[in-house]
Amino acid sequence: MVIQTMWKDRLSFSDFDDAVRRIEGLGRMGCGLLRFAVPDIAAAEALGALAKLVSMPLVADIHFDYKIALRCMDFPIAKIRINPGNIGSKEKVKAVLDKAAEKGVALRIGVNAGSLPQDLRKSAAMDRAEALVEATQRELAVFDEFGFTNVVVSMKASNLADTIKANRLFAKATDSLFPVPLHIGVTEAGPLVAGVARSSAALSLLLAQGIGDTIRVSLSDSMENEVIAAREILGAAAEIAAIEGATAGNAQRRLKRGGVTVISCPRCGRHGFDTHGFCNRWLNRLYTLDRTITVAVMGCEVNGPEEARHADIGITGAGDKVLIFRRGVIVQTVTAVEADKAFEEELSR
Ligand code: SF4
């Protein structure tokens, strides 16, 4: 399973130092694919120049203008999201496919419920999920005609039922004949909390059935939070697949929980340590750790020491002090002001 996110702003050459740093950070957090909107040739030039500076596979998202796709493929771009139905004439489609084949670039067909062809949108013969699958099959048929198979498909809707049903139908229809990798996600899922909850509900169901090869959690929030959310959804799906045993089949083999697990208390009137502030300050950093560890962040002594005992590293309030634990042993007792520094020291150790 590969986690994907999407750059949230227009890329410009003047941002490159920051962009490279941020992309490296996303990679350490577990992001394995990064998509950029490429609305014009200038954006293609900027993305191409950036692609030479990073090891993260980059994806160009292109609509309508096949010349932008051709230009992107002059650079080390890993994948292009473009729908043949958007490009126009067969000659233009062929030009894109020929160059993609020559350069080894994968193409992603991305069909969204909001941009279905007119006839499918109005069809009384099929519901929206079936229309998403039909639209995808039409796009695939064009690739098939030219013998192009280095392709990934996504079918997204903001409606959970449509997303789940479309992906299930497509996986069932293609699995035995010609398994096409599926990129899964709920489009326009919403702001952080609602978007994570909705994506989690839909995507865990698909993942537990072994559906999905790449994943994005689309949030009105940061790329880092999209990556964290995807990691947590994959981890949760792995735990579900493990208890479902044989029925989860393929999913059980492909999913695993790795990296950091953060246990943090919701905080209440007993707290002596602000778990919210600590999590906000530390979360991105913790998710870049290349270790499978559990971190406990607790507000007070009621549950704190017990939870911290099970964790590899824990921090908990205790009256006007803060305790730092390593595998159940108190290693530092500090004030709240000193807590971050002390935690950093123990984490480094
Ligand atoms: Fe409240 Fe303490 Fe439990 Fe946190 S650990 S929710 S502060 S009782």
Side-chain angles (χ1 to χ4, degrees), residues 102-335:
E102 180 203 331
K103 300 274 184 173
V105 175
L107 299 181
R108 175 179 140 200
I109 293 170
V111 176
N112 280 11
S115 53
L116 283 169
Q118 278 286 342
D119 64 315
L120 294 180
R121 212 176 304 165
K122 292 183 178 159
S123 170
M126 56 181 81
D127 64 24
R128 201 159 34 188
E130 290 163 339
L132 277 164
V133 176
E134 173 61 26
T136 305
Q137 301 280 27
R138 285 183 190 176
E139 302 282 9
L140 270 176
V142 180
F143 282 5
D144 243 9
E145 202 182 318
F146 292 102
F148 188 87
T149 55
N150 190 8
V151 63
V152 181
V153 154
S154 71
M155 286 157 295
K156 294 185 179 179
S158 54
N159 176 292
L160 304 192
D162 290 339
T163 304
I164 294 164
K165 185 174 174 186
N167 281 283
R168 279 179 172 167
L169 285 173
F170 185 87
K172 196 170 168 202
T174 56
D175 243 14
S176 50
L177 304 167
F178 165 45
V180 180
L182 268 172
H183 171 68
I184 57 171
V186 176
T187 195
E188 295 124 18
L192 183 61
V193 177
V196 171
R198 301 179 73 245
S199 298
S200 178
L203 301 182
S204 356
L205 274 178
L206 293 172
L207 291 165
Q209 289 185 303
I211 297 172
D213 299 276
T214 68
I215 180 174
R216 180 187 176 202
V217 180
S218 300
L219 300 174
S220 306
D221 210 277
S222 70
M223 295 185 288
E224 287 76 8
N225 279 343
E226 289 194 358
V227 173
I228 291 172
R231 274 181 60 169
E232 287 299 329
I233 290 170
L234 291 175
E239 289 173 21
I240 294 167
I243 59 161
E244 295 294 322
T247 58
N250 186 27
Q252 206 184 348
R253 287 192 297 277
R254 298 171 64 220
L255 300 169
K256 66 178 170 54
R257 176 178 275 288
V260 74
T261 299
V262 179
I263 298 166
S264 65
C265 89
R267 206 180 75 194
C268 73
R270 295 186 196 88
H271 83 272
F273 178 61
D274 177 16
T275 53
H276 298 195
F278 184 86
C279 285
N280 286 338
R281 290 194 300 279
W282 279 88
L283 210 56
N284 286 1
R285 164 82 196 284
L286 291 174
Y287 274 86
T288 63
L289 295 175
D290 187 19
R291 291 278 191 286
T292 297
I293 59 164
T294 301
V295 179
V297 184
M298 309 301 291
C300 77
E301 309 95 310
V302 172
N303 295 317
E306 195 48 40
E307 290 293 354
R309 215 178 300 286
H310 299 298
D312 296 289
I313 181 164
I315 183 162
T316 181
D320 62 351
K321 296 289 183 213
V322 175
L323 311 178
I324 310 236
F325 290 83
R326 285 177 67 190
R327 301 200 179 93
V329 178
I330 298 174
V331 287
Q332 291 207 45
T333 302
V334 295
T335 65

Side-chain angles (χ1 to χ4, degrees), residues 34-77:
L34 184 55
R35 185 155 58 110
F36 289 77
V38 186
D40 50 38
I41 289 289
E45 301 290 342
L47 183 61
L50 180 69
K52 293 177 183 169
L53 303 176
V54 296
S55 56
M56 171 90 67
L58 304 185
V59 184
D61 189 298
I62 296 162
H63 288 275
F64 309 120
D65 189 346
Y66 82 112
K67 286 189 191 140
I68 302 174
L70 294 179
R71 183 63 183 130
C72 281
M73 287 189 272
D74 290 331
F75 303 104
I77 299 294

